[in-house]
Amino acid sequence: MSRSAASRANRRGEPPPSPEPLPAPAVDSHTHLDIVLNGFRTEEPAADDAVDAEIAAAAAVGVTRLVQVGVDVPSSRWSAELAARHPGVLAAVAVHPNEAGAGLADDEALAEIDRLAALPRVRAVGETGLDRYRTGPEGWAAQEASFQAHVRIAKEHGVALVVHDRDAHEEILRVLDDEGAPEHTVFHCFSGDAAFAQACVERGHVLSFAGTLTFGNAGYLREAAALTPVDQLLVETDSPFLTPVPHRGRPNASRLVPHTVRALAEVTGVELAQLCDTLTRTAERVFGTWGRTPLPPTPR
């Protein structure tokens, strides 16, 4: 998201109340806690107690693991620092494609992303990719060069790749096919139809669904999720964006993941506790184990 979009999201008020807890632990595979709590004012970082409270609120409803995602160098540093101190958080680092399209993915920035990607609690490079919606044609070449560089960084460090794809489905697959995708590649906030989902699934990619899965006009997403093998699915918030029904239009937060998990259970026909368990295991396969806080046993 652009900085202005983040600021608008933060002016909409507090996230809605927490839903009923899940019957087993789940993972928010993509969140922006820095934006949730403080917008992009990286010179005024969010207070540790506010961050801890947000993480605790998610854990209280069964969302015990988070992946905090950077979108530029400052937020990527913040993400890595949070993951280093918090046992329930892993980090992803990158220069967002819209930032790249604005010329911010220069050699110095990419060198810092490369450095951060080597840290033990940084388990993904992303979000990176292509965005044909917010960035005009004048920025597309820079976006693609940045995407290619991020793919190489992910492979060099043996970590996952988190892909931002907006109005660029075929171009994304072309770059991944040409560069050779990392072993674990996640399509964040999957936005394609069933045919595109099938193309991604056949390549072994993981599709992560956000609150958009619950929108009334998103039948095409539900069709895509229904055909995806359950072990190639993840859920996310992309908070503070993409808040699920019934709270669409208000700021999102990791504590709202249960709404999307329940919607995915309906779409896939998988029993809720079993789905939570599978989603968690897929997240651990993709990002590695969080390690310092063992998961409670799954109810049977």
Side-chain angles (χ1 to χ4, degrees):
M1 281 291 172
S2 67
R3 294 170 188 263
S4 59
S7 298
R8 288 194 299 274
N10 265 13
R11 288 198 296 268
R12 293 179 299 182
E14 293 298 316
S18 299
E20 179 183 353
L22 291 166
V27 176
D28 183 353
S29 71
H30 192 114
T31 185
H32 302 284
L33 280 166
D34 50 331
I35 305 176
V36 171
L37 295 168
N38 214 38
F40 273 95
R41 298 190 302 277
T42 50
E43 71 278 7
E44 301 174 19
D48 287 352
D49 57 351
V51 175
D52 291 346
E54 198 66 35
I55 294 169
V61 296
V63 185
T64 59
R65 299 290 187 274
L66 312 178
V67 180
Q68 162 63 28
V69 179
V71 295
D72 56 17
V73 167
S75 66
S76 292
R77 288 176 180 147
W78 188 90
S79 300
E81 290 165 2
L82 176 63
R85 76 168 181 84
H86 205 291
V89 178
L90 296 176
V93 298
V95 178
H96 190 285
N98 289 325
E99 305 293 309
L104 298 182
D106 57 17
D107 289 346
E108 182 178 357
L110 291 171
E112 180 64 359
I113 297 302
D114 183 47
R115 184 190 73 81
L116 292 169
L119 297 175
R121 300 282 291 178
V122 174
R123 303 291 181 76
V125 170
E127 58 187 281
T128 181
L130 302 174
D131 190 312
R132 300 312 197 218
Y133 179 78
R134 292 193 179 275
T135 296
E138 70 281 355
W140 291 358
Q143 273 194 357
E144 185 161 329
S146 174
F147 185 25
Q148 292 167 332
H150 281 81
V151 171
R152 294 166 191 156
I153 291 170
K155 291 197 294 185
E156 177 184 349
H157 294 286
V159 298
L161 183 75
V162 175
V163 175
H164 172 104
D165 165 23
R166 190 161 188 186
D167 296 348
H169 301 333
E170 298 307 319
E171 295 94 329
I172 290 279
L173 289 183
R174 173 179 53 77
V175 172
L176 290 174
D177 290 347
D178 289 348
E179 289 290 327
E183 178 182 2
H184 300 299
T185 296
V186 178
F187 275 71
H188 137 67
C189 186
F190 184 79
S191 59
D193 60 11
F196 184 60
Q198 186 63 43
C200 294
V201 164
E202 289 172 354
R203 289 166 167 81
H205 303 328
V206 173
L207 312 187
S208 181
F209 287 88
T212 45
L213 185 73
T214 70
F215 293 179
N217 62 353
Y220 68 99
L221 289 180
R222 291 184 283 275
E223 290 176 3
L227 69 79
T228 302
V230 70
D231 63 355
Q232 285 177 256
L233 291 169
L234 288 172
V235 294
E236 63 175 88
T237 54
D238 196 26
S239 59
F241 315 108
L242 306 181
T243 310
V245 173
H247 303 297
R248 186 177 182 183
R250 297 180 65 182
N252 206 356
S254 293
R255 71 180 81 121
L256 301 182
V257 160
H259 291 298
T260 305
V261 175
R262 288 186 166 94
L264 189 61
E266 291 184 9
V267 167
T268 61
V270 178
E271 188 270 330
L272 185 58
Q274 180 184 346
L275 179 62
C276 291
D277 184 66
T278 302
L279 292 169
T280 297
R281 294 181 189 282
T282 299
E284 291 188 329
R285 186 181 79 242
V286 170
F287 300 111
T289 60
W290 276 250
R292 290 180 286 176
T293 305
L295 289 171
T298 301
R300 299 296 182 190

